[in-house]
Amino acid sequence: MQNQQLSKTLSYVLRHKPEAFGLQLDTQGWIDVTELLRALHAHGHEVTPNQLHEVVATNDKQRFSLSADGAKIRANQGHSVAVDLELTAVVPPELLYHGTATRFLDSIRKDGLRSGSRQHVHLSADAETAVTVGSRHGKPVVLTVQAGRLHRAGGLFYLSANGVWLTEAVPPEYLGVAE
Ligand code: HQG
């Protein structure tokens, strides 16, 4: 399997559907590396520990982490299965960004940002990243999120191990359209 394909498979297994490979994440989202490689092998994918390490190290968004002893692997964010990433709530910057597609704007103006199938709403620290995120869904548009104000009102913010800001939901009154 090519590295990019392996990265996609890892996202699928570690964020969304471990059971598709007969696997189960632990409470914190970890899977035993040996078990993972065995399960991939059982599904016809030959992946060596070296290739796995290379994909973790070189992944463009640093999507995955290995445990300190290298025995376990997990996704840093993006889960739809319930996991506890043991993130500590932190004070966000005053302004964060959310990239989305223009076709979602009416609904977002009405309901705010919802996490949908994922555990969190994903926010970006800069507008450029948000454009890339939004482009995945169609014609991109970047929304500003008044994160500081929402935090002072009791909203909880987390920073994933790979620099993605996470929060539970953003009500419409905290949103604007970036210039
Ligand atoms: C939209 C990628 C209608 C939301 C990225 C988004 C990110 C609403 C879509 C990570 C809505 C969900 C997550 C509402 C939100 N009405 N649409 N009320 N509230 N939406 O893929 O943020 O490459 O689940 O704007 O870089 O696009 O996978 O979330 O367009 O970090 O590592 O519903 O995935 O990272 O889409 O992306 P997604 P996202 P990876």
Side-chain angles (χ1 to χ4, degrees), residues 15 61 63 98 100 107 112 114 118 122 133 136-137:
R15 291 170 167 180
K61 289 198 197 165
R63 290 180 178 88
H98 178 83
T100 188
S107 171
R114 301 262 171 241
R118 302 200 196 239
H122 291 226
V133 174
R136 293 160 47 252
H137 300 287

Side-chain angles (χ1 to χ4, degrees), residues 55-125:
V55 164
V56 172
T58 61
N59 187 260
D60 58 347
K61 289 198 197 165
Q62 293 294 298
R63 290 180 178 88
F64 317 106
S65 284
L66 288 165
S67 57
D69 63 1
K72 295 185 290 182
I73 184 171
R74 75 175 174 187
N76 287 326
Q77 37 73 226
H79 297 80
S80 55
V81 293
V83 295
D84 174 11
L85 293 174
E86 307 154 285
L87 296 173
T88 310
V90 287
V91 181
E94 212 43 48
L95 211 59
L96 287 170
Y97 300 88
H98 178 83
T100 188
T102 49
R103 65 196 159 93
F104 295 143
L105 278 180
D106 285 349
S107 171
I108 291 173
R109 280 201 185 97
K110 184 168 153 287
D111 297 332
L113 293 175
R114 301 262 171 241
S115 62
S117 60
R118 302 200 196 239
Q119 277 198 297
H120 297 101
V121 169
H122 291 226
L123 304 172
S124 309

